[in-house]
Amino acid sequence: MTGTIFINYRREDSISIAGRLYDRLSHTFGRKNIFMDVDHIPAGVDFEAHLNTQVDECEIFLVVIGPRWLEVKDESGGRRLDNSDDFVNIEIRTALARDIRVIPVLVDGASMPKAGELPDPLKALARRQAVELRQLHFGRDAEALIERVNEALKGKLGRQRPWRGKAIAGTAAAVLLLLGWIGLSSIDVAEWRLWQPALPITSQPAPAFSSVRQEYEKAAAKGDASAMFNLGVLYHNGQGVAQDYAKAREWYEKAAAKGDASAMFNLGVLCENGLGVAQDYAKARAWYEKAAAKGQASAMFNLGLLYHNGYGVAQDYARAREWFGKAADEGNASAMFNLGVSYDNGFGVAQDYAKAREWYEKAAARGHARAKAHLEQMPIR
């Protein structure tokens, strides 16, 4: 296999943002091309040989470095990074020794480690150019990292964009663009969804976005909420117009005032990510709640994430589980998976492996790849 990407991270230090990065890369380059979550090594396999094999198949190796990355201790009180049997140590030294492109990714304000702070086999890491991935600017920082990865791979993986359709009034159909979803490595995910206009599939040449925009503007002038919403998406993505998050927000607000739940959800996404507006988790939560009240599962799911992570609210695993449950009732596979993780780990509920398996099975039945992987690797109890 060529052109694959390996994400190396320390679970104790950076699991949340590593999970978000995994999902963004998966939806850009394809899940089969991303390696992560080495905690689930097949039983009876030599773990060092297994890790070496995975690293061998990669061309890009991302080292996610959080504030505690250098300090994490093992059971004996020694620094894990100094242990030659430590997963992180094994993976990094293998990548460096085989001259794989290694990119340090600094998260949560972490600084690049100095050579003197690293064990001998890892000292070369200090000479690798790092990139920063900030929680407050995750979207734009992740996109910049993706561009660097794509350049390093010379575009051999391409850039994929998963879509799912939804009919609307007007000249275009609306489809769901997955900008990133939450795929828990142990817990935590991030599913950001935008309703994106797309031209219907016909044998005729598709009109330019500028023409589509003109049609939306005519419909919006007559009070069509779907047209207002789609104008917001065009400005959001810079399709047929210069990208302008502030104008996107204006059109979303007009559509939301007419009761459009998708516009409410997108306003939540803008507020949560600080796009065209100051980042405000409380306002994001308010918009998600309005969308959720209209039955939008993605809004319910993201409310679960806010409570799980304590963003804009006091961290509350029980409330997170409630929102994941509501989203799961609406058929959201990622929410089903998160419920499985909640029961698997005892987040906001008594630990229950049978219920964890039950939710993983429901998510897997809907095609959730990570749920399938968890089922395959769960021990028989």
Side-chain angles (χ1 to χ4, degrees):
M1 181 184 297
T2 60
T4 52
I5 303 162
F6 193 107
I7 302 175
N8 168 281
Y9 69 105
R10 182 71 75 187
R11 179 178 296 279
E12 300 89 343
D13 192 37
S14 57
I15 183 173
S16 173
I17 202 163
R20 293 183 71 185
L21 177 60
Y22 171 86
D23 293 317
R24 183 63 67 91
L25 290 170
S26 296
H27 284 287
T28 301
F29 297 115
R31 190 172 298 274
K32 67 180 181 180
N33 293 307
I34 316 298
F35 288 146
M36 196 178 88
D37 198 7
V38 298
D39 293 323
H40 298 299
I41 293 175
V45 171
D46 183 307
F47 69 85
E48 183 167 358
H50 179 80
L51 294 177
N52 286 342
T53 298
Q54 285 193 312
V55 173
D56 273 342
E57 293 180 337
C58 295
E59 292 189 34
I60 301 293
F61 187 93
L62 304 179
V63 182
V64 181
I65 300 175
R68 298 178 54 230
W69 188 79
L70 283 169
E71 306 167 2
V72 176
K73 301 290 196 294
D74 58 24
E75 295 179 356
S76 65
R79 196 174 67 154
R80 287 183 59 180
L81 199 62
D82 294 323
N83 185 342
S84 62
D85 289 333
D86 177 57
F87 288 173
V88 170
N89 183 310
I90 292 172
E91 294 165 5
I92 297 175
R93 74 172 187 255
T94 300
L96 290 171
R98 296 176 188 179
D99 201 27
I100 292 169
R101 177 73 68 91
V102 176
I103 302 175
V105 181
L106 307 178
V107 303
D108 295 331
S111 299
M112 190 63 193
K114 298 178 176 60
E117 298 174 305
L118 299 169
D120 288 343
L122 308 188
K123 288 188 182 299
L125 178 65
R127 300 193 297 271
R128 301 299 175 108
Q129 182 66 36
V131 298
E132 187 176 9
L133 196 59
R134 300 163 294 181
Q135 290 277 12
L136 294 181
H137 304 288
F138 179 82
R140 70 187 71 166
D141 287 350
E143 187 61 27
L145 174 59
I146 285 170
E147 288 300 325
R148 292 195 181 189
V149 169
N150 198 42
E151 289 172 6
L153 293 173
K154 296 180 173 54
K156 69 174 65 176
L157 292 183
R159 291 174 64 101
Q160 303 175 16
R161 290 186 179 272
W163 301 77
R164 188 169 77 191
K166 175 193 178 186
I168 62 168
T171 61
V175 298
L176 187 62
L177 170 60
L178 301 181
L179 293 182
W181 71 322
I182 219 144
L184 299 180
S185 184
S186 177
I187 186 62
D188 202 313
V189 309
E191 175 178 287
W192 312 126
R193 300 185 172 189
L194 288 180
W195 293 98
Q196 164 93 8
L199 302 176
I201 299 174
T202 70
S203 59
Q204 302 299 317
F209 276 113
S210 58
S211 298
V212 174
R213 176 173 56 83
Q214 292 172 6
E215 294 297 324
Y216 286 150
E217 287 173 343
K218 292 177 183 178
K222 296 178 181 180
D224 189 311
S226 294
M228 296 173 184
F229 167 75
N230 284 342
L231 281 168
V233 176
L234 290 180
Y235 278 104
H236 191 124
N237 293 314
Q239 294 168 310
V241 293
Q243 188 176 51
D244 190 327
Y245 294 129
K247 284 188 178 292
R249 177 172 55 84
E250 290 175 9
W251 282 112
Y252 289 152
E253 287 175 344
K254 290 178 181 180
K258 289 183 171 289
D260 191 295
S262 296
M264 296 172 186
F265 178 81
N266 282 12
L267 284 166
V269 171
L270 292 181
C271 290
E272 181 157 5
N273 290 277
L275 301 174
V277 65
Q279 186 180 47
D280 190 324
Y281 290 120
K283 287 184 179 179
R285 176 169 55 86
W287 281 117
Y288 289 150
E289 286 174 345
K290 289 180 180 181
K294 289 182 170 288
Q296 217 217 41
S298 292
M300 299 171 188
F301 179 80
N302 279 4
L303 282 167
L305 294 181
L306 291 181
Y307 279 102
H308 184 90
N309 292 310
Y311 291 159
V313 293
Q315 189 175 51
D316 190 330
Y317 291 140
R319 290 291 301 278
R321 183 174 55 82
E322 289 174 10
W323 280 112
F324 288 148
K326 291 178 180 181
D329 288 343
E330 296 295 326
N332 187 295
S334 295
M336 296 173 187
F337 176 61
N338 282 12
L339 285 170
V341 173
S342 296
Y343 280 105
D344 211 348
N345 292 274
F347 291 116
V349 66
Q351 194 171 45
D352 189 324
Y353 295 122
K355 286 188 177 180
R357 178 178 291 276
E358 178 183 336
W359 281 111
Y360 287 149
E361 288 174 344
K362 289 180 179 180
R366 289 180 172 268
H368 196 288
R370 306 205 72 191
K372 295 177 182 178
H374 276 234
L375 282 171
E376 291 172 358
Q377 293 149 5
M378 282 187 77
I380 305 288
R381 294 183 171 93

